[in-house]
Amino acid sequence: MRTTTLGTNGPEVGVIGLGCMGMSYAYDMEAKREEETSISVIRGAIELGATLIDTADVYGPYTNEELVGRALKDGYRERAVLSTKVGLEVSNAAPAAGTMPGLVKNGSPDHIRQSIDASLRRLGTDHVDLYILHRVDPEVPLEDSWGAMAQTVRDGKARAIGISEASVEEIKRAQSVHPVTAVQSELSLWTRDRLADVVPCCVENGLAFLPFSPLGRGFLTGRFTSFDQLPPDDMRRRLPRFQQENLMANLAIVQRVRDVAERVGATPAQVALAWVVAQGQRVIPIPGTKTPKYLRDNVAAGDLVLSDEDLAMLDNAPQPEGSRY
């Protein structure tokens, strides 16, 4: 796979990484999750060059970090660029704005200090390569949260720090305290908002941009054509874009992806990922998968270069119906 760097001076990584959330959390029924298969997918990703492995303490909660830690034994930790996140908690309270249902924000310095140690124990390592503030907590000054994040670098517990779902102003405020290595936000053909502001900011400042849900939570693969196809306890059943009326309208985006896929002899997933990679030198999508087949499909997208005509067709795809959350 082609490679890039995690920020201007960061480690080399494949242009496509691996998001591990769905192996333990949010998607599909728990009975369908097979730990040994997930471990083989994580190790397979590293062997195929998708060396950026992304998790978070809230996934599970906690069990996804434990799974990733088991997968990175036997020499795989040294070959991976490991990223985890802090700043969200599972709660029965009303969900925080801009997050999935059931999650609240906690960016307090005490929470960050305690969480990094707990994450390292679960991951079975003495440091992570990238520690990401999962969301900016409006109840805590960003400078305080970011100061605690920076302390994890000074303590040798994180090699670098990043921020997720932040505005340009928030990125600049964080930069004034300690260098930001990466910004993580949703980006796909059905979530293009950040192309207007955050992605250019990252390009200008040499930051990596890590798109999560680059396949539109699986929708852009063409897998779903009806709300009823979603598993009974799947988190997507609560998201506006997957409600039946919106879903039917959003199939027009999928059709545009399919049209380009047929032109270039690739799968819709590969085309959707290649479009994301084309948005910048250090734009590194982290699609999630639990199966070796889809892993190979996703990784192959790292070597798919779309023409200007193909990119223009995709750029002009319809905007999505329904909000993200």
Short mmCIF file of all heavy atoms in Angstrom, two decimals, residues 84-143:
data_model
loop_
_atom_site.label_atom_id
_atom_site.label_comp_id
_atom_site.label_asym_id
_atom_site.label_seq_id
_atom_site.Cartn_x
_atom_site.Cartn_y
_atom_site.Cartn_z
N THR A 84 -5.58 5.58 20.47
CA THR A 84 -6.79 5.42 21.27
C THR A 84 -7.28 6.80 21.68
O THR A 84 -6.61 7.82 21.44
CB THR A 84 -6.58 4.50 22.48
OG1 THR A 84 -7.87 4.14 23.01
CG2 THR A 84 -5.75 5.15 23.57
N LYS A 85 -8.47 6.84 22.30
CA LYS A 85 -9.12 8.12 22.57
C LYS A 85 -9.67 8.17 23.99
O LYS A 85 -9.90 7.15 24.61
CB LYS A 85 -10.25 8.33 21.55
CG LYS A 85 -9.76 8.42 20.11
CD LYS A 85 -10.86 8.68 19.11
CE LYS A 85 -11.70 7.46 18.80
NZ LYS A 85 -10.94 6.41 18.10
N VAL A 86 -9.90 9.42 24.43
CA VAL A 86 -10.42 9.69 25.77
C VAL A 86 -11.36 10.89 25.67
O VAL A 86 -11.22 11.72 24.77
CB VAL A 86 -9.27 10.00 26.76
CG1 VAL A 86 -8.51 11.26 26.35
CG2 VAL A 86 -9.78 10.14 28.18
N GLY A 87 -12.31 10.99 26.59
CA GLY A 87 -13.14 12.19 26.63
C GLY A 87 -14.62 11.94 26.45
O GLY A 87 -15.41 12.88 26.48
N LEU A 88 -15.03 10.67 26.28
CA LEU A 88 -16.44 10.31 26.26
C LEU A 88 -16.67 9.22 27.30
O LEU A 88 -15.79 8.40 27.56
CB LEU A 88 -16.86 9.80 24.88
CG LEU A 88 -16.98 10.83 23.77
CD1 LEU A 88 -17.35 10.14 22.46
CD2 LEU A 88 -18.00 11.90 24.10
N GLU A 89 -17.87 9.22 27.86
CA GLU A 89 -18.25 8.19 28.81
C GLU A 89 -19.64 7.67 28.46
O GLU A 89 -20.48 8.41 27.95
CB GLU A 89 -18.28 8.75 30.23
CG GLU A 89 -16.93 9.14 30.78
CD GLU A 89 -17.03 9.65 32.19
OE1 GLU A 89 -17.78 10.61 32.44
OE2 GLU A 89 -16.37 9.07 33.07
N VAL A 90 -19.87 6.39 28.75
CA VAL A 90 -21.19 5.82 28.58
C VAL A 90 -22.09 6.29 29.71
O VAL A 90 -21.69 6.29 30.88
CB VAL A 90 -21.12 4.28 28.55
CG1 VAL A 90 -22.52 3.68 28.49
CG2 VAL A 90 -20.29 3.81 27.38
N SER A 91 -23.31 6.71 29.38
CA SER A 91 -24.21 7.24 30.39
C SER A 91 -25.65 7.07 29.94
O SER A 91 -25.94 7.02 28.75
CB SER A 91 -23.92 8.73 30.63
OG SER A 91 -24.89 9.33 31.46
N ASN A 92 -26.55 7.01 30.90
CA ASN A 92 -27.98 6.98 30.61
C ASN A 92 -28.56 8.38 30.44
O ASN A 92 -29.73 8.55 30.12
CB ASN A 92 -28.74 6.26 31.72
CG ASN A 92 -28.42 4.77 31.75
OD1 ASN A 92 -28.22 4.16 30.70
ND2 ASN A 92 -28.35 4.20 32.94
N ALA A 93 -27.70 9.39 30.65
CA ALA A 93 -28.15 10.77 30.49
C ALA A 93 -28.35 11.08 29.00
O ALA A 93 -27.99 10.30 28.12
CB ALA A 93 -27.11 11.72 31.09
N ALA A 94 -28.92 12.23 28.73
CA ALA A 94 -29.13 12.64 27.34
C ALA A 94 -27.79 12.69 26.63
O ALA A 94 -26.79 13.15 27.20
CB ALA A 94 -29.80 14.01 27.30
N PRO A 95 -27.71 12.20 25.39
CA PRO A 95 -26.43 12.18 24.68
C PRO A 95 -25.87 13.57 24.45
O PRO A 95 -26.61 14.53 24.26
CB PRO A 95 -26.78 11.49 23.35
CG PRO A 95 -28.24 11.71 23.17
CD PRO A 95 -28.81 11.69 24.56
N ALA A 96 -24.56 13.67 24.47
CA ALA A 96 -23.90 14.94 24.18
C ALA A 96 -24.09 15.29 22.71
O ALA A 96 -24.14 14.42 21.85
CB ALA A 96 -22.41 14.83 24.51
N ALA A 97 -24.21 16.58 22.43
CA ALA A 97 -24.36 17.02 21.05
C ALA A 97 -23.17 16.56 20.23
O ALA A 97 -22.02 16.64 20.67
CB ALA A 97 -24.46 18.54 21.01
N GLY A 98 -23.46 16.04 19.03
CA GLY A 98 -22.38 15.59 18.15
C GLY A 98 -21.80 14.25 18.51
O GLY A 98 -20.70 13.92 18.08
N THR A 99 -22.52 13.45 19.30
CA THR A 99 -22.03 12.12 19.65
C THR A 99 -23.14 11.10 19.42
O THR A 99 -24.30 11.44 19.25
CB THR A 99 -21.58 12.02 21.12
OG1 THR A 99 -22.74 12.14 21.96
CG2 THR A 99 -20.60 13.12 21.47
N MET A 100 -22.75 9.84 19.49
CA MET A 100 -23.73 8.77 19.38
C MET A 100 -24.59 8.72 20.65
O MET A 100 -24.15 9.16 21.71
CB MET A 100 -23.03 7.43 19.17
CG MET A 100 -22.33 7.31 17.83
SD MET A 100 -21.74 5.65 17.48
CE MET A 100 -20.57 5.39 18.81
N PRO A 101 -25.80 8.18 20.54
CA PRO A 101 -26.67 8.06 21.72
C PRO A 101 -25.98 7.30 22.85
O PRO A 101 -25.22 6.36 22.62
CB PRO A 101 -27.87 7.28 21.18
CG PRO A 101 -27.89 7.57 19.72
CD PRO A 101 -26.45 7.69 19.32
N GLY A 102 -26.25 7.76 24.09
CA GLY A 102 -25.71 7.06 25.26
C GLY A 102 -24.34 7.49 25.68
O GLY A 102 -23.74 6.86 26.56
N LEU A 103 -23.81 8.56 25.10
CA LEU A 103 -22.47 9.02 25.44
C LEU A 103 -22.51 10.46 25.93
O LEU A 103 -23.26 11.29 25.41
CB LEU A 103 -21.54 8.94 24.22
CG LEU A 103 -21.33 7.55 23.62
CD1 LEU A 103 -20.41 7.64 22.41
CD2 LEU A 103 -20.77 6.58 24.65
N VAL A 104 -21.70 10.77 26.93
CA VAL A 104 -21.54 12.13 27.43
C VAL A 104 -20.07 12.49 27.41
O VAL A 104 -19.19 11.62 27.41
CB VAL A 104 -22.11 12.28 28.86
CG1 VAL A 104 -23.61 12.05 28.87
CG2 VAL A 104 -21.40 11.33 29.83
N LYS A 105 -19.79 13.79 27.37
CA LYS A 105 -18.42 14.26 27.28
C LYS A 105 -17.81 14.44 28.67
O LYS A 105 -18.47 14.87 29.60
CB LYS A 105 -18.38 15.59 26.53
CG LYS A 105 -18.92 15.50 25.11
CD LYS A 105 -19.03 16.88 24.46
CE LYS A 105 -19.65 16.77 23.07
NZ LYS A 105 -19.84 18.09 22.44
N ASN A 106 -16.52 14.12 28.78
CA ASN A 106 -15.78 14.38 30.01
C ASN A 106 -14.34 14.69 29.63
O ASN A 106 -13.55 13.78 29.35
CB ASN A 106 -15.84 13.19 30.97
CG ASN A 106 -15.20 13.51 32.32
OD1 ASN A 106 -14.52 14.52 32.48
ND2 ASN A 106 -15.41 12.64 33.31
N GLY A 107 -14.02 15.98 29.59
CA GLY A 107 -12.67 16.40 29.24
C GLY A 107 -11.89 16.93 30.42
O GLY A 107 -10.93 17.68 30.25
N SER A 108 -12.28 16.54 31.64
CA SER A 108 -11.58 17.05 32.83
C SER A 108 -10.16 16.50 32.88
O SER A 108 -9.91 15.34 32.51
CB SER A 108 -12.33 16.67 34.10
OG SER A 108 -12.26 15.28 34.33
N PRO A 109 -9.21 17.29 33.34
CA PRO A 109 -7.84 16.80 33.45
C PRO A 109 -7.71 15.53 34.29
O PRO A 109 -6.94 14.63 33.95
CB PRO A 109 -7.10 17.99 34.08
CG PRO A 109 -7.86 19.18 33.60
CD PRO A 109 -9.30 18.73 33.61
N ASP A 110 -8.46 15.45 35.39
CA ASP A 110 -8.38 14.25 36.23
C ASP A 110 -8.82 13.02 35.45
O ASP A 110 -8.20 11.95 35.54
CB ASP A 110 -9.26 14.41 37.47
CG ASP A 110 -8.62 15.28 38.53
OD1 ASP A 110 -7.40 15.54 38.43
OD2 ASP A 110 -9.34 15.71 39.45
N HIS A 111 -9.90 13.16 34.68
CA HIS A 111 -10.39 12.03 33.89
C HIS A 111 -9.34 11.61 32.86
O HIS A 111 -9.10 10.41 32.65
CB HIS A 111 -11.69 12.42 33.19
CG HIS A 111 -12.25 11.35 32.31
ND1 HIS A 111 -12.76 10.17 32.80
CD2 HIS A 111 -12.36 11.28 30.96
CE1 HIS A 111 -13.17 9.42 31.80
NE2 HIS A 111 -12.93 10.06 30.67
N ILE A 112 -8.70 12.56 32.21
CA ILE A 112 -7.69 12.25 31.20
C ILE A 112 -6.50 11.55 31.83
O ILE A 112 -5.99 10.55 31.31
CB ILE A 112 -7.27 13.53 30.45
CG1 ILE A 112 -8.44 14.04 29.59
CG2 ILE A 112 -6.03 13.29 29.59
CD1 ILE A 112 -8.25 15.42 29.02
N ARG A 113 -6.04 12.07 32.98
CA ARG A 113 -4.88 11.46 33.66
C ARG A 113 -5.17 10.02 34.07
O ARG A 113 -4.32 9.13 33.92
CB ARG A 113 -4.49 12.31 34.87
CG ARG A 113 -3.74 13.58 34.53
CD ARG A 113 -3.16 14.21 35.78
NE ARG A 113 -4.21 14.81 36.61
CZ ARG A 113 -4.60 16.09 36.54
NH1 ARG A 113 -4.01 16.90 35.66
NH2 ARG A 113 -5.54 16.56 37.33
N GLN A 114 -6.36 9.78 34.60
CA GLN A 114 -6.71 8.43 35.02
C GLN A 114 -6.93 7.50 33.81
O GLN A 114 -6.56 6.32 33.84
CB GLN A 114 -7.97 8.47 35.88
CG GLN A 114 -7.81 9.20 37.20
CD GLN A 114 -9.13 9.50 37.89
OE1 GLN A 114 -10.18 9.04 37.44
NE2 GLN A 114 -9.08 10.29 38.95
N SER A 115 -7.49 8.06 32.76
CA SER A 115 -7.87 7.23 31.62
C SER A 115 -6.67 6.73 30.83
O SER A 115 -6.70 5.61 30.31
CB SER A 115 -8.82 8.01 30.70
OG SER A 115 -10.04 8.29 31.35
N ILE A 116 -5.63 7.53 30.71
CA ILE A 116 -4.47 7.07 29.93
C ILE A 116 -3.85 5.85 30.59
O ILE A 116 -3.49 4.87 29.92
CB ILE A 116 -3.42 8.18 29.71
CG1 ILE A 116 -2.28 7.69 28.84
CG2 ILE A 116 -2.89 8.73 31.02
CD1 ILE A 116 -2.66 7.25 27.45
N ASP A 117 -3.76 5.85 31.91
CA ASP A 117 -3.18 4.70 32.60
C ASP A 117 -4.05 3.46 32.42
O ASP A 117 -3.55 2.36 32.19
CB ASP A 117 -3.00 5.01 34.09
CG ASP A 117 -1.92 6.04 34.35
OD1 ASP A 117 -0.98 6.13 33.53
OD2 ASP A 117 -2.00 6.75 35.37
N ALA A 118 -5.36 3.65 32.51
CA ALA A 118 -6.27 2.52 32.33
C ALA A 118 -6.21 1.98 30.90
O ALA A 118 -6.22 0.77 30.68
CB ALA A 118 -7.69 2.94 32.68
N SER A 119 -6.12 2.88 29.93
CA SER A 119 -6.02 2.44 28.53
C SER A 119 -4.74 1.66 28.29
O SER A 119 -4.75 0.62 27.61
CB SER A 119 -6.09 3.65 27.58
OG SER A 119 -7.40 4.17 27.51
N LEU A 120 -3.64 2.12 28.83
CA LEU A 120 -2.38 1.42 28.64
C LEU A 120 -2.42 0.02 29.24
O LEU A 120 -1.90 -0.94 28.66
CB LEU A 120 -1.22 2.23 29.23
CG LEU A 120 -0.92 3.56 28.55
CD1 LEU A 120 0.24 4.27 29.26
CD2 LEU A 120 -0.60 3.38 27.07
N ARG A 121 -3.09 -0.12 30.39
CA ARG A 121 -3.22 -1.45 30.99
C ARG A 121 -4.03 -2.36 30.08
O ARG A 121 -3.66 -3.52 29.85
CB ARG A 121 -3.89 -1.35 32.37
CG ARG A 121 -3.00 -0.82 33.47
CD ARG A 121 -3.59 -1.09 34.85
NE ARG A 121 -4.91 -0.46 35.01
CZ ARG A 121 -5.09 0.78 35.47
NH1 ARG A 121 -4.04 1.52 35.79
NH2 ARG A 121 -6.30 1.26 35.62
N ARG A 122 -5.13 -1.86 29.58
CA ARG A 122 -5.98 -2.70 28.72
C ARG A 122 -5.28 -3.04 27.41
O ARG A 122 -5.46 -4.14 26.87
CB ARG A 122 -7.31 -1.98 28.45
CG ARG A 122 -8.23 -1.93 29.65
CD ARG A 122 -9.60 -1.40 29.29
NE ARG A 122 -9.59 0.01 28.98
CZ ARG A 122 -9.79 0.99 29.86
NH1 ARG A 122 -10.02 0.70 31.13
NH2 ARG A 122 -9.79 2.24 29.48
N LEU A 123 -4.53 -2.11 26.88
CA LEU A 123 -3.84 -2.32 25.61
C LEU A 123 -2.56 -3.14 25.77
O LEU A 123 -1.98 -3.60 24.77
CB LEU A 123 -3.52 -0.98 24.96
CG LEU A 123 -4.73 -0.20 24.44
CD1 LEU A 123 -4.36 1.26 24.18
CD2 LEU A 123 -5.27 -0.84 23.16
N GLY A 124 -2.09 -3.31 26.99
CA GLY A 124 -0.89 -4.10 27.23
C GLY A 124 0.36 -3.46 26.68
O GLY A 124 1.26 -4.14 26.18
N THR A 125 0.46 -2.13 26.80
CA THR A 125 1.62 -1.42 26.26
C THR A 125 2.01 -0.30 27.21
O THR A 125 1.22 0.08 28.09
CB THR A 125 1.29 -0.84 24.86
OG1 THR A 125 2.46 -0.25 24.29
CG2 THR A 125 0.19 0.20 24.93
N ASP A 126 3.21 0.23 27.05
CA ASP A 126 3.64 1.33 27.92
C ASP A 126 3.41 2.70 27.30
O ASP A 126 3.63 3.72 27.93
CB ASP A 126 5.11 1.17 28.33
CG ASP A 126 6.05 1.23 27.14
OD1 ASP A 126 5.58 1.33 25.98
OD2 ASP A 126 7.28 1.15 27.35
N HIS A 127 2.94 2.72 26.05
CA HIS A 127 2.63 4.00 25.41
C HIS A 127 1.72 3.77 24.21
O HIS A 127 1.67 2.66 23.67
CB HIS A 127 3.91 4.70 24.93
CG HIS A 127 4.50 4.08 23.70
ND1 HIS A 127 5.29 2.93 23.73
CD2 HIS A 127 4.39 4.41 22.38
CE1 HIS A 127 5.64 2.60 22.50
NE2 HIS A 127 5.11 3.48 21.66
N VAL A 128 1.00 4.79 23.83
CA VAL A 128 0.29 4.78 22.56
C VAL A 128 0.99 5.77 21.63
O VAL A 128 1.65 6.71 22.09
CB VAL A 128 -1.20 5.15 22.72
CG1 VAL A 128 -1.94 4.06 23.47
CG2 VAL A 128 -1.38 6.50 23.39
N ASP A 129 0.86 5.54 20.35
CA ASP A 129 1.50 6.43 19.39
C ASP A 129 0.71 7.71 19.18
O ASP A 129 1.28 8.75 18.84
CB ASP A 129 1.69 5.69 18.06
CG ASP A 129 2.57 4.47 18.23
OD1 ASP A 129 3.79 4.65 18.48
OD2 ASP A 129 2.06 3.34 18.16
N LEU A 130 -0.60 7.63 19.39
CA LEU A 130 -1.46 8.80 19.24
C LEU A 130 -2.58 8.72 20.27
O LEU A 130 -3.29 7.71 20.33
CB LEU A 130 -2.04 8.86 17.82
CG LEU A 130 -2.96 10.05 17.50
CD1 LEU A 130 -2.18 11.36 17.56
CD2 LEU A 130 -3.59 9.87 16.12
N TYR A 131 -2.73 9.76 21.07
CA TYR A 131 -3.79 9.84 22.07
C TYR A 131 -4.71 10.98 21.66
O TYR A 131 -4.26 12.12 21.50
CB TYR A 131 -3.20 10.09 23.46
CG TYR A 131 -4.11 9.74 24.61
CD1 TYR A 131 -4.94 8.63 24.58
CD2 TYR A 131 -4.11 10.52 25.78
CE1 TYR A 131 -5.76 8.30 25.65
CE2 TYR A 131 -4.91 10.19 26.86
CZ TYR A 131 -5.73 9.08 26.79
OH TYR A 131 -6.54 8.74 27.86
N ILE A 132 -5.98 10.68 21.46
CA ILE A 132 -6.91 11.64 20.88
C ILE A 132 -7.98 12.05 21.89
O ILE A 132 -8.58 11.20 22.54
CB ILE A 132 -7.58 11.04 19.62
CG1 ILE A 132 -6.53 10.77 18.53
CG2 ILE A 132 -8.67 11.97 19.08
CD1 ILE A 132 -7.11 10.09 17.29
N LEU A 133 -8.21 13.36 21.99
CA LEU A 133 -9.33 13.86 22.76
C LEU A 133 -10.59 13.64 21.93
O LEU A 133 -10.78 14.26 20.89
CB LEU A 133 -9.15 15.35 23.06
CG LEU A 133 -10.23 16.00 23.93
CD1 LEU A 133 -10.28 15.35 25.32
CD2 LEU A 133 -10.01 17.50 24.05
N HIS A 134 -11.45 12.72 22.39
CA HIS A 134 -12.57 12.22 21.59
C HIS A 134 -13.58 13.32 21.23
O HIS A 134 -14.13 13.33 20.13
CB HIS A 134 -13.27 11.10 22.36
CG HIS A 134 -13.82 10.03 21.50
ND1 HIS A 134 -14.00 8.74 21.93
CD2 HIS A 134 -14.27 10.02 20.22
CE1 HIS A 134 -14.52 8.00 20.97
NE2 HIS A 134 -14.69 8.76 19.92
N ARG A 135 -13.85 14.21 22.17
CA ARG A 135 -14.70 15.37 21.92
C ARG A 135 -14.25 16.49 22.85
O ARG A 135 -13.76 16.25 23.96
CB ARG A 135 -16.19 15.07 22.20
CG ARG A 135 -16.84 14.08 21.27
CD ARG A 135 -17.00 14.60 19.85
NE ARG A 135 -17.82 13.71 19.05
CZ ARG A 135 -17.40 12.63 18.39
NH1 ARG A 135 -16.12 12.29 18.49
NH2 ARG A 135 -18.22 11.90 17.66
N VAL A 136 -14.44 17.73 22.42
CA VAL A 136 -14.19 18.89 23.27
C VAL A 136 -15.36 19.02 24.24
O VAL A 136 -16.52 19.04 23.82
CB VAL A 136 -14.03 20.16 22.43
CG1 VAL A 136 -13.90 21.39 23.33
CG2 VAL A 136 -12.82 20.04 21.50
N ASP A 137 -15.06 19.09 25.52
CA ASP A 137 -16.08 19.20 26.56
C ASP A 137 -16.38 20.67 26.79
O ASP A 137 -15.52 21.44 27.24
CB ASP A 137 -15.56 18.56 27.85
CG ASP A 137 -16.60 18.50 28.96
OD1 ASP A 137 -17.63 19.19 28.84
OD2 ASP A 137 -16.37 17.77 29.94
N PRO A 138 -17.61 21.13 26.51
CA PRO A 138 -17.92 22.56 26.68
C PRO A 138 -17.91 23.01 28.14
O PRO A 138 -17.86 24.22 28.41
CB PRO A 138 -19.34 22.67 26.09
CG PRO A 138 -19.92 21.31 26.21
CD PRO A 138 -18.78 20.36 26.02
N GLU A 139 -17.91 22.04 29.07
CA GLU A 139 -17.89 22.39 30.50
C GLU A 139 -16.47 22.54 31.04
O GLU A 139 -16.30 22.92 32.21
CB GLU A 139 -18.63 21.31 31.30
CG GLU A 139 -20.07 21.09 30.87
CD GLU A 139 -20.91 22.34 30.99
OE1 GLU A 139 -20.72 23.09 31.98
OE2 GLU A 139 -21.75 22.58 30.09
N VAL A 140 -15.47 22.25 30.21
CA VAL A 140 -14.07 22.33 30.64
C VAL A 140 -13.30 23.19 29.64
O VAL A 140 -13.41 22.94 28.43
CB VAL A 140 -13.43 20.92 30.71
CG1 VAL A 140 -11.97 21.00 31.14
CG2 VAL A 140 -14.21 20.02 31.66
N PRO A 141 -12.55 24.19 30.09
CA PRO A 141 -11.75 24.97 29.13
C PRO A 141 -10.86 24.04 28.31
O PRO A 141 -10.18 23.16 28.87
CB PRO A 141 -10.93 25.89 30.03
CG PRO A 141 -11.74 26.02 31.28
CD PRO A 141 -12.40 24.69 31.46
N LEU A 142 -10.87 24.21 27.00
CA LEU A 142 -10.08 23.34 26.14
C LEU A 142 -8.62 23.36 26.53
O LEU A 142 -7.93 22.32 26.49
CB LEU A 142 -10.25 23.76 24.68
CG LEU A 142 -9.38 23.02 23.65
CD1 LEU A 142 -9.61 21.51 23.71
CD2 LEU A 142 -9.66 23.55 22.24
N GLU A 143 -8.12 24.51 26.95
CA GLU A 143 -6.72 24.61 27.33
C GLU A 143 -6.40 23.69 28.51
O GLU A 143 -5.29 23.14 28.60
CB GLU A 143 -6.38 26.07 27.68
CG GLU A 143 -6.34 27.01 26.50
CD GLU A 143 -7.73 27.39 25.96
OE1 GLU A 143 -8.76 27.06 26.63
OE2 GLU A 143 -7.81 28.00 24.88
#
